[in-house]
Amino acid sequence: GVYLTLPLNLTTSNTRLRVETGATLKALCDNDRWPRINKLPSYVTDWYDEWWFAPFIGASNVQDIILDGGGVIDASGACFWDSGHHATAYRGSGPPKTRMVGSRGNLLLFERVQRAELTDLTFRNSPFWTLHPTFCDGVRMANLSVLAPRDHGNTVRTHTY
């Protein structure tokens, strides 16, 4: 079946998230209830300078995390691609521009995770980056598929790792 949820934050070491074959863990499309996090230390720019939407699956400062099972993790990216929930008018020198106050989140963000395993899963429809392990050690990925719509349309790019 399809299981709708807001973001999952894996806060405890020795955690296993198993999405079985035939099951889809799908992000609830509700930007107003989606948590926000501080900007990412791994992505420094003035463009995204205040906050990010939380990742759909996140973990920070934990160890021994396993995600597996043969199912699908779908972050409902279309809810964020054209929503404008994170843009404000910006007037600097020159013509008016739209300036990002925050950014779309990642499908999966691991920060400072020690020993993680991602196997036998399909990740699809990320709002922004799909898999983003940063400042991690011992992350193993095998038999993964990443499905990303091209230009947010119906054409799909598939990457298998």
Side-chain angles (χ1 to χ4, degrees):
V2 176
Y3 301 89
L4 294 173
T5 184
L6 286 167
L8 301 175
N9 189 15
L10 310 176
T11 59
T12 305
S13 293
N14 302 306
T15 297
R16 183 178 200 171
L17 174 62
R18 186 167 181 83
V19 182
E20 296 282 342
T21 300
T24 298
L25 184 65
K26 187 172 174 70
L28 186 65
C29 190
D30 188 345
N31 290 352
D32 294 331
R33 293 175 49 199
W34 203 273
R36 295 176 181 183
I37 62 173
N38 292 329
K39 66 181 179 177
L40 297 176
S42 61
Y43 191 72
V44 179
T45 177
D46 291 337
W47 190 249
Y48 305 106
D49 63 347
E50 293 182 22
W51 55 266
W52 288 59
F53 279 109
F56 184 43
I57 308 289
S60 180
N61 297 307
V62 293
Q63 59 190 20
D64 301 313
I65 302 295
I66 298 173
L67 276 66
D68 66 357
V72 175
I73 299 177
D74 185 333
S76 299
C79 298
F80 298 91
W81 295 328
D82 299 316
S83 68
H85 276 76
H86 53 279
T88 61
Y90 172 70
R91 291 190 185 269
S93 59
K97 304 174 190 173
T98 298
R99 178 176 167 269
M100 303 293 268
V101 177
S103 176
R104 299 165 284 150
N106 302 295
L107 189 152
L108 180 136
L109 171 63
F110 283 179
E111 291 182 280
R112 296 176 183 86
V113 171
Q114 303 296 311
R115 297 179 306 279
E117 182 177 315
L118 285 70
T119 56
D120 302 318
L121 290 168
T122 297
F123 295 92
R124 72 176 181 208
N125 296 322
S126 181
F128 197 26
W129 298 328
T130 303
L131 304 174
H132 189 58
T134 181
F135 307 117
C136 294
D137 186 36
V139 176
R140 181 181 170 272
M141 299 182 195
N143 198 27
L144 303 178
S145 291
V146 175
L147 306 176
R150 178 172 295 164
D151 301 324
H152 316 306
N154 293 324
T155 304
V156 175
R157 291 177 288 181
T158 302
H159 304 282
T160 302
Y161 303 94

